[in-house]
Amino acid sequence: MTPLAREIQRTLLAALPDPEAAPRPELAAYARLLRDYPERGGKMLRGRLVVLTARAYGDDTAALGVAAALELFQNWVLIHDDIEDDSDERRGRPALHRLVPMPLALNAGDALHATMWRLLAEAGARRKVLLEFAELVETTASGQHLDLSWTLEDRFDLTPDDYLEMVRRKAAYYT
């Protein structure tokens, strides 16, 4: 992991509850669930691009918080996607819903989603950035809907253009 990726990860993890400070064992377990995917690492490519682009334009005051929020977006979407796709693994380990009951994994994803918005607010993200994040969530959800509905309907008549539309609304869009 690059030094910048580690800095983004530290910012992201600092926004999450500390299991050691939890007042009850159940809340310590909750804090560990929220930290599970973010602690697994990843390249933090999208977050690094945010910071590097902000630095190139000479104003990176909010960039680290926005980058951490974008990485939180990636993590909560992956938790939900793993549940929806019934995935077994994520980043070389069992998917979160394979480690704990699905409702707990889903709740962890929801909490990361809320923390994403808090990080953006704390970073002082401008209205335009907040609206871009809203569009990011909405567009990704529409791409995921295409993916899920085609899978649930056992669609095999899809064209390469259909597939490209779906991926353009998902990872390709938020990258």
Side-chain angles (χ1 to χ4, degrees):
M1 190 179 288
T2 69
L4 179 55
R6 279 192 293 277
E7 188 177 0
I8 293 166
Q9 185 183 42
R10 276 193 301 274
T11 302
L12 184 162
L13 291 172
L16 299 176
D18 178 1
E20 302 301 319
R24 314 175 50 103
E26 301 91 343
L27 294 176
Y30 168 73
R32 284 190 296 277
L33 286 178
L34 297 187
R35 300 169 85 80
D36 187 283
Y37 276 24
E39 286 180 344
R40 292 184 189 195
K43 295 181 273 313
M44 308 258 173
L45 173 67
R46 294 166 187 92
R48 286 186 296 148
L49 287 172
V50 166
V51 173
L52 294 173
T53 300
R55 287 179 183 168
Y57 279 92
D59 181 14
D60 68 351
T61 52
L64 197 56
V66 173
L70 185 55
E71 292 300 330
L72 270 179
F73 168 82
Q74 172 72 14
N75 282 278
W76 74 258
V77 165
L78 289 176
I79 291 171
H80 284 221
D81 185 65
D82 287 347
I83 293 167
E84 292 164 345
D85 294 346
D86 201 24
S87 299
D88 290 326
E89 287 189 11
R90 175 63 59 188
R91 296 179 182 148
R93 292 190 49 219
L96 195 59
H97 70 284
R98 299 290 183 210
L99 296 173
V100 298
M102 186 273 295
L104 295 178
L106 184 62
N107 187 62
D110 292 345
L112 293 179
H113 184 181
T115 305
M116 175 197 81
W117 291 110
R118 182 172 49 79
L119 266 176
L120 288 167
E122 289 173 352
R126 296 186 176 147
R127 183 176 188 273
K128 187 173 182 176
V129 172
L130 296 174
L131 292 174
E132 185 64 33
F133 264 79
E135 187 172 331
L136 179 83
V137 173
E138 292 165 350
T139 301
T140 303
S142 71
Q144 183 70 350
H145 179 81
L146 288 175
D147 187 356
L148 293 170
S149 63
W150 293 340
T151 300
L152 292 169
E153 294 168 6
D154 289 324
R155 294 277 307 271
F156 293 100
D157 62 333
L158 302 168
T159 67
D161 286 339
D162 293 328
Y163 177 77
L164 289 173
E165 179 183 358
M166 184 262 297
V167 296
R168 272 194 296 267
R169 292 174 176 271
K170 291 176 63 170
Y173 183 81
Y174 62 83
T175 300

